[in-house]
Every structure is written in C-alpha cells, then in structure tokens.
Amino acid sequence: MNANLVIITINQLKSEIGKVQIMKDAKKKKYKSELDKLYNEYGNVDIPENMKIQYNNLNSKGIELIKELKSSKDKDKLETSVEVYIRYLKASLCDFEGKTNYLRKYITSFLFSSMLFLALSPQFYGFILPVLFFLPIYMGLKGVKKRSISGFYMTMSVVPVALMTSFTWIRYGINAKIDYTGAVKSIVDTGVAQNLAEKLVYIGPLFGCILLIFTSLQLYRGYKSKDLFI
C-alpha cells in the first residue's frame, strides 16, 4: 500500500504553515524543510498491511493539525503541535521501513552503560552522583520503551557522566602502571579494603574501558535511533 494520503496531508500542512501569520519565518522555513524531506521519503515507502491502522491514525492526526493551524491563535501551542507531528511522521516512517531494531540496540547499550556507571563512579565521586542519576536512569528506561522523546533525553543524560567515569578509571590505570603502591593507597583511602583495592587497580581500568565502549555505542545508537521517539 502506498502513502498517498499522508503525502497529500504533508503537502497541505506545508501550505497551511505558510499562511500562519503568528509564526516566525525562521520557524516556517525549518518546518517546511523537514516536511519537504518527509514528503520525498514517504513517496518511496510501502505501508505494510499490518500497519494500516497506524497509517490511518497518522493521517488523521495530520488532518487534525491542519484544522488547528487554520483556527488556533496560540503560537506556542501551534509550534508544539507541528513539532510533535513531525516527530510522529519520522517515527512512523521508521516503523514502516522496519528500522525499529535500533531501539532494542540502543536500550541494550544504555543498560550496560548505566550499570557500569553506577558500579564504577562511587570509587572516585562518592555515592551521591550515582544516587542522583538513579531516577533519571529508571524513568528514562521506562520512557524509551514507550518511545517517548523525554525518556530518550533522560537516558542520554547518562552519557557525559559515564564518559567522565570511564576516563577517570582509564587515567587511574595509566597512573597505576607508574606508581602501583600509590594507586592502591588512593583506593584504600576511600574506605575500600586492601585486598579489594589491589584487585581494583587492574579490574577498575578494564571495566572503565568497557564502559567507554558501551557509552560510545549508546551515543552512536542514540543518534541512529533518535527519529524513533515522539
């Protein structure tokens, strides 16, 4: 099944956006550019029969947005509605093209990044940092499973601190090769037992490297799967 109905709706949306007086020209140009790209992409896609209901819902929401553009005088509400529908168009396109496997890959890399971050960060940053990120990790995971854009942003917030933690452990491993005794002492000073500290000198940097790999994977897969979220 072709996507002619949605293509017509996208064309009407471009026309109506151009007529809205309360929107800034820069916003109109941005929306039209994104819709132009989606117009071309939907022209080359076949809708699977088992996704017919989703396709019809997508088109219905587009028609509702056209009516809103004609009647609403609330600029912020209009811009939000247009942006949400554009995300809906992108996410549905990924569904129709069978690209949802990136969601599973993203969740996998996020889970490994989060677990390693929670395990490795207390040794250098105390327990406050992982505690602060526990709720965003939990809520973010629930959100990405529902393909929520806010959930996606929450999961991506782990990337900077996970990278920081991995670099700290890798740097520690490099320093440990130069001064093994001092490296063990720095861990013991945080309250870790001597025997465990001696093992962490080797294990910590190794897991720091693994954390770096999974965090980099999460960043890459997040970029590849960003259009799946609404």
Side-chain angles (χ1 to χ4, degrees), residues 72-174:
S72 179
K73 302 300 180 184
D74 187 332
K75 180 178 74 72
D76 293 335
K77 184 181 177 183
L78 277 180
E79 289 178 355
T80 299
S81 296
V82 172
E83 288 167 7
V84 169
Y85 187 66
I86 287 173
R87 289 202 300 268
Y88 191 19
L89 283 168
K90 291 178 179 179
S92 295
L93 184 65
C94 291
D95 290 338
F96 300 147
E97 292 179 334
K99 294 181 178 178
T100 52
N101 61 321
Y102 263 108
L103 180 62
R104 178 181 54 79
K105 292 179 180 178
Y106 175 74
I107 290 174
T108 300
S109 55
F110 162 69
L111 285 173
F112 277 103
S113 296
S114 300
M115 288 187 293
L116 287 167
F117 160 68
L118 293 173
L120 294 174
S121 57
Q123 283 71 32
F124 289 102
Y125 303 108
F127 288 96
I128 294 178
L129 184 64
V131 167
L132 287 174
F133 275 87
F134 183 79
L135 186 59
I137 288 170
Y138 174 72
M139 297 299 294
L141 180 59
K142 289 185 68 175
V144 292
K145 286 181 177 179
K146 295 178 181 178
R147 293 173 63 175
S148 159
I149 192 69
S150 59
F152 174 66
Y153 290 144
M154 290 179 82
T155 58
M156 288 297 286
S157 70
V158 177
V159 169
V161 289
L163 286 173
M164 177 182 71
T165 302
S166 68
F167 290 145
T168 301
W169 272 107
I170 291 169
R171 186 178 64 218
Y172 171 81
I174 294 170

Side-chain angles (χ1 to χ4, degrees), residues 170-184 201-202 205:
I170 291 169
R171 186 178 64 218
Y172 171 81
I174 294 170
N175 292 335
K177 291 184 70 176
I178 301 170
D179 182 11
Y180 175 79
T181 304
V184 172
V201 168
Y202 301 104

Side-chain angles (χ1 to χ4, degrees), residues 10 28 37 42 46 51-52 62 88 98 106-107 116 120 144 162 171 218:
I10 291 172
K28 291 182 184 180
K37 185 179 178 183
Y42 270 94
D46 288 321
M51 294 185 177
K52 190 174 180 180
Y88 191 19
Y106 175 74
I107 290 174
L116 287 167
L120 294 174
V144 292
R171 186 178 64 218
Q218 182 190 345

Side-chain angles (χ1 to χ4, degrees), residues 6-40:
V6 168
I7 290 170
I8 292 169
T9 301
I10 291 172
N11 221 20
Q12 289 178 315
L13 277 172
K14 290 192 294 180
S15 176
E16 291 303 325
I17 287 170
K19 297 176 185 177
V20 177
Q21 298 295 322
I22 55 177
M23 270 190 200
K24 292 182 179 179
D25 289 339
K27 285 282 187 179
K28 291 182 184 180
K29 185 177 179 181
K30 176 190 172 186
Y31 297 149
K32 285 183 178 180
S33 175
E34 290 184 284
L35 288 169
D36 279 334
K37 185 179 178 183
L38 286 163
Y39 179 91
N40 294 328

